[in-house]
Amino acid sequence: MLTTLGVYKILYMAELLFTFFVYARKLRRRSRFALRVAAVCAVSLAVAAFFPMPIYGWWYTSFVFAVLFALLLAGSAFCFKEKFICMVYCGLAAYTTRHAAFQAFGLIRTGFDMFFSQADGMLIYSLYGDAPLAEFMTRLNAVWIVLYIGVYVLVYALVFMFFGRRIWQSPDLQIKNSSLLILSGVIMFVNVLLHSILVYGSDTASVYVMLLYVYNLVCCAFIFYMMSTVVDMKHLRQELVILGHLRELEREQYEEQSRDIELINMRCHDIKHQIYARMHDKSDDYLRDLDELINVYNAKVKTGNRELDIILTQKSLFCAKHGIVFSCMADGSGLSFMDKTDIYSLFGNIIDNAIECVMKFENKNRRVIDFSVSGERGVIAVRTGNYCDGDVTFDSDGLPVTTKTDKALHGYGMKSVREIVNKYGGDLDITVKDGIFSVGIILLTGGV
């Protein structure tokens, strides 16, 4: 016999699946994603339809819904290649959204029935019963169905607008405070459990039912708030302080190096004049070699931007000293929209990252760095490329994980790069393909 709860389980699973995949739309998908989703939906709905109901009580009904939720999480791992905690986050968000919509509908419906003394004041609780579906349908009317759909659409729209948008606007879903997420899950579990106890309780007055709905809605709002702030704010503040300090040190370092380079160039200029004055004392070969050596230190890079000139000159000197071929084609004339400190940090970090990588090679032919900066129509394109060995591990933000032992004190270089790129409304793309590590950056000159 088909009961109301037998049908409601299917409706519950369908709503949960739909809401989950809406939240998870930006997660990284596995191959043949559409087929995987179809398979997960088919299996989940089938399990919901045929899950046995030997007992109609609060504890067993809660168990059934918990199993269906766990089935959703298992299916999500089959469809997406993300950390499981990301799946739990989207699953909990989906469950809370659906639960909030159901509670809002229950509150409105119960209030309407209570104030207008409708005979079917507790019709909504019949969804959890073992009554035949045909009997339930005789008590159902079009207003009931329209209200159900209308409330769900309204609640979903509000939740997606104020909560879902925060997820979709993030480049990656990163969960740094799992304890807060677990607390949200526990609150939701208690919420659902209390609701089940009340549903299967006796002598339930409508006023207490309405209070329960209000309580459940407040709990849902609280859960959304906690999930929105699931990132560890203390950790972020500390990280921002460290990044700011490092960038200030970088600015001071490059300014000091600029003064040193100017002094070196002045001395080289004086020495060259002295060499030419004494050419008759030495052979031409000796003077030629000495002149070439001086030119290495006298070759100041000129890109059209003073800060970029300082960085590239300093990096060119370092590369020449350590046998690194630094191929540079840079037009910095379009970088005037950037703060000086941002220029020092952005370009210094990406070139340092390349230098650190190629310095590991004994083979001089692999000590090569390609660097370019170009600008056109309000867009600045930056690229570095260099050889790399081994597999590069990326974190949830798409940044390479530092290979240094003390990870707490390293790895901030690329984080600083990402922060600057985001500041100017740009895009950062880091890839490893065929042994080449590439960093591509797009900056918008009006992005601040």
Side-chain angles (χ1 to χ4, degrees), residues 6-114:
V7 174
Y8 181 65
K9 287 185 300 175
I10 302 174
L11 179 62
Y12 160 86
M13 197 71 230
E15 292 170 351
L16 197 59
L17 285 166
F18 166 77
T19 315
F20 173 84
F21 283 111
V22 171
Y23 277 120
R25 65 189 180 90
K26 291 194 70 174
L27 298 184
R28 291 179 298 167
R29 302 174 178 181
R30 297 189 183 276
S31 59
R32 299 181 179 177
F33 177 73
L35 291 177
R36 290 175 182 268
V37 171
V40 168
C41 290
V43 171
S44 299
L45 293 174
V47 171
F50 295 103
F51 201 96
M53 292 296 301
I55 302 173
Y56 287 85
W58 66 267
W59 67 270
Y60 187 77
T61 303
S62 299
F63 168 74
V64 171
F65 289 125
V67 170
L68 295 179
F69 180 72
L71 180 63
L72 171 71
L73 295 182
S76 67
F78 178 69
C79 296
F80 299 97
K81 47 182 179 181
E82 292 282 359
K83 293 180 180 178
F84 188 67
I85 192 170
C86 293
M87 258 71 92
V88 174
Y89 184 92
C90 291
L92 184 57
Y95 197 108
T96 306
T97 302
R98 189 218 154 268
H99 191 66
F102 184 80
Q103 296 302 315
F105 169 72
L107 174 63
I108 295 172
R109 182 67 196 186
T110 303
F112 180 86
D113 292 338
M114 184 178 68

